[in-house]
Amino acid sequence: MVIGIIVVCCNATNLMDGLDGLCGGVTGVVALGFLFLAVNLAMLSGAININHDALRVVMALALLGAVLGFVPYNFNPASIFLGDTGSMFIGFCCGTLMILFAAQGQFKWFLAAMVMFSLPLLDTALAFVRRYVNKRPLFSADRYHLHHQLVARGFTVKQTVMISYGLSIAFVLLGAAIVFTRTRYAVGIYIIVFGSIIVAAFKMGMVHERVKVTTAQSLGTSNAVTPSSGEVEPGRVLEVKDPDRKPEPEEDKKKGDRAA
């Protein structure tokens, strides 16, 4: 269980690191939420587990401070970058904090931390579902993540990053609400919210890849690059068919595959 949480969190932040300032800023918002949970848990525990309380607060403060010092230089246009090692390390820190919140059977706090970290988790989960539905390798790269979808819909990089910050703040507030709500009520609310998000993702085309097909034409033709099914949106898959090429017989195709 512990290994699974760490691996998922590391990959979630790594996959989110697709735009300048995106991963660091979202992690900063999440770290602020984790700090809120750590302080509240320390106040409620009554100094019974003072070592665990201090560790959670210090880790949340360290993560928040490191990210806040980094994001101004990583915001678009960026002068420094996280890289795979940096993005996976902050994912490791988030996963470690989530495990610490689950210590001593504190399921309520673990659930709150997981909800606060929902934006990277949902983006990663949708990526794997999308690749499975479209019969593509699960670990193959694509340009259908949430930030790619927003850019494809006409938002600038800065606007996309700010929208992601807003979504992350909403998830942090939703996660913080569990502190003041009974667990069974909070679980019901979260099921409704995340179910609605999944339905919206299907409706918005974030799961099924819609391939644009066009026919190759001469360079002198005015609509040489216009797809037959409409204009190509940024990030969409484009398939170009050659009208003069006849389909290969099945036997010749097999021979060609063997020769290759």
Side-chain angles (χ1 to χ4, degrees):
M1 182 67 177
V2 171
I3 295 175
I5 292 173
I6 295 296
V7 170
V8 169
C9 289
C10 288
N11 282 279
T13 51
N14 187 34
L15 291 176
M16 176 160 280
D17 189 25
L19 296 177
D20 294 342
L22 178 59
C23 182
V26 169
T27 307
V29 175
V30 174
L32 185 61
F34 284 175
L35 179 61
F36 170 81
L37 291 180
V39 172
N40 274 272
L41 184 56
M43 293 172 63
L44 292 175
S45 65
I48 297 176
N49 299 307
I50 189 169
N51 291 330
H52 288 87
D53 294 335
L55 179 60
R56 284 187 286 259
V57 172
V58 170
M59 278 197 66
L61 276 173
L63 179 60
L64 178 61
V67 171
L68 289 180
F70 171 80
V71 169
Y73 301 97
N74 182 240
F75 202 77
N76 183 265
S79 57
I80 57 176
F81 304 92
L82 280 172
D84 290 339
T85 304
S87 60
M88 295 182 77
F89 176 72
I90 59 178
F92 172 81
C93 293
C94 291
T96 303
L97 275 167
M98 292 170 65
I99 294 168
L100 290 174
F101 282 123
Q104 292 87 41
Q106 298 287 349
F107 174 75
K108 185 178 190 178
W109 301 92
F110 171 73
L111 179 61
M114 188 171 63
V115 172
M116 290 181 176
F117 196 69
S118 289
L119 186 61
L121 291 178
L122 283 173
D123 186 43
T124 303
L126 283 174
F128 281 99
V129 171
R130 179 173 58 249
R131 293 164 189 173
Y132 177 79
V133 168
N134 293 281
K135 298 180 180 179
R136 299 174 61 239
L138 293 180
F139 295 98
S140 63
D142 60 31
R143 293 185 58 83
Y144 280 84
H145 291 285
L146 176 62
H147 48 277
H148 293 141
Q149 294 276 354
L150 293 175
V151 172
R153 282 164 172 75
F155 292 100
T156 64
V157 172
K158 291 183 179 179
Q159 290 173 338
T160 300
V161 171
M162 296 308 296
I163 291 173
S164 299
Y165 289 177
L167 291 173
S168 186
I169 292 172
F171 283 124
V172 166
L173 294 176
L174 190 63
I178 196 174
V179 178
F180 311 102
T181 309
R182 289 189 176 183
T183 305
R184 60 175 178 267
Y185 297 147
V187 170
I189 294 172
Y190 293 155
I191 291 175
I192 295 173
V193 171
F194 292 116
S196 302
I197 292 173
I198 293 172
V199 172
F202 273 90
K203 294 292 185 180
M204 293 171 62
M206 295 180 65
V207 175
H208 295 280
E209 296 178 358
R210 291 173 291 180
V211 179
K212 299 293 185 179
V213 181
T214 186
T215 303
Q217 301 181 28
S218 62
L219 293 176
T221 308
S222 59
N223 60 345
V225 294
T226 302
S228 57
S229 58
E231 296 183 359
V232 180
E233 299 177 11
R236 292 296 184 192
V237 180
L238 177 63
E239 179 183 346
V240 181
K241 291 186 176 181
D242 189 349
D244 299 326
R245 183 178 179 181
K246 297 180 180 180
E248 297 180 5
E250 194 66 27
E251 294 182 0
D252 294 344
K253 187 175 181 181
K254 291 180 180 179
K255 292 179 181 178
D257 293 340
R258 293 196 196 99

